[in-house]
Amino acid sequence: MRIMLKLVLDCDADAAWRALHSPRAIADLYGPFVDLAPMDAAGMPSRLEPGADVPVRMTIGAGAPGGAGGRGGGLSLGEQLIHVSERTVRDAHGEVRIFRDSGIPLTGPLATLEVWDHQMAVSPAPGDPAKTLWRDRLVIGGRAAPALWPVLWATWQWRGARLRALAPTWAHDPEFAHDDAPA
């Protein structure tokens, strides 16, 4: 089963590509309702690199809005392994960069899925290279997929709204601005 989004975002493709590699930007997509925190004691890497395996814990109502701090106290959605790969292809409009998370839910309701393949493609928007054409595709499979599809579809609509809201901030490298802010 597939869930897909196709959006034009108000940032250039380079900024969108940087955001795809930023754990803070990814965590912000699910805020303020879902907190994404590292399971590894070393914490979240500053950048998601190809070949990386990053175990994360997802909770509802935990920590600061949209934060990746993992302050606890929320309802667990489970643990997930993010496995990163990327590739570049060309289409009729030029270069398309594809970020793929082929990790797998480890615990929680999503762990009942047998297939999890999430790909996000970014390219300059046709006719406006200052904007990004963002294509987001999640493929899920297994016996639980039909039951989980409506929830994931609704979550992806939320992601689309968050993508539109956050994209204009990505050109300013928000992960560095937050990390350097005074306490």
Side-chain angles (χ1 to χ4, degrees):
M1 303 184 83
R2 291 185 179 163
I3 301 167
M4 298 178 13
L5 290 175
K6 185 176 181 181
L7 312 164
V8 174
L9 302 179
D10 192 15
C11 69
D12 65 54
D14 289 335
W17 188 246
R18 282 192 308 272
L20 274 172
H21 291 82
S22 166
R24 180 170 307 277
I26 298 302
D28 285 348
L29 284 179
Y30 295 100
F33 303 113
V34 176
D35 187 53
L36 188 70
M39 290 172 45
D40 188 340
M44 194 72 86
S46 60
R47 182 172 157 76
L48 298 173
E49 298 288 348
D53 286 317
V54 181
V56 297
R57 182 173 293 113
M58 299 177 299
T59 51
I60 294 176
R71 293 180 182 87
L75 175 65
S76 177
L77 289 175
E79 299 168 345
Q80 177 134 355
L81 179 67
I82 299 171
H83 177 77
V84 178
S85 61
E86 59 187 49
R87 64 191 171 103
T88 302
V89 299
R90 294 194 69 78
D91 70 6
H93 301 287
E95 183 178 89
V96 179
R97 292 176 278 186
I98 301 168
F99 181 98
R100 182 179 184 196
D101 169 14
S102 58
I104 192 76
L106 302 170
T107 66
L110 297 179
T112 59
L113 294 170
E114 296 169 18
V115 175
W116 179 275
D117 185 15
H118 184 197
Q119 295 186 51
M120 294 148 281
V122 299
S123 60
D128 191 350
K131 295 190 178 200
T132 297
L133 177 59
W134 177 287
R135 291 166 277 191
D136 201 319
R137 182 184 78 184
L138 175 65
V139 177
I140 60 172
R143 286 184 160 171
L148 291 171
W149 186 90
V151 174
L152 288 168
W153 181 88
T155 302
W156 253 241
Q157 304 320 297
W158 172 254
R159 273 176 60 88
R162 294 291 290 168
L163 283 162
R164 285 186 179 106
L166 293 171
T169 70
W170 291 341
H172 306 290
D173 293 322
E175 65 273 13
F176 299 116
H178 290 296
D179 291 343
D180 295 337

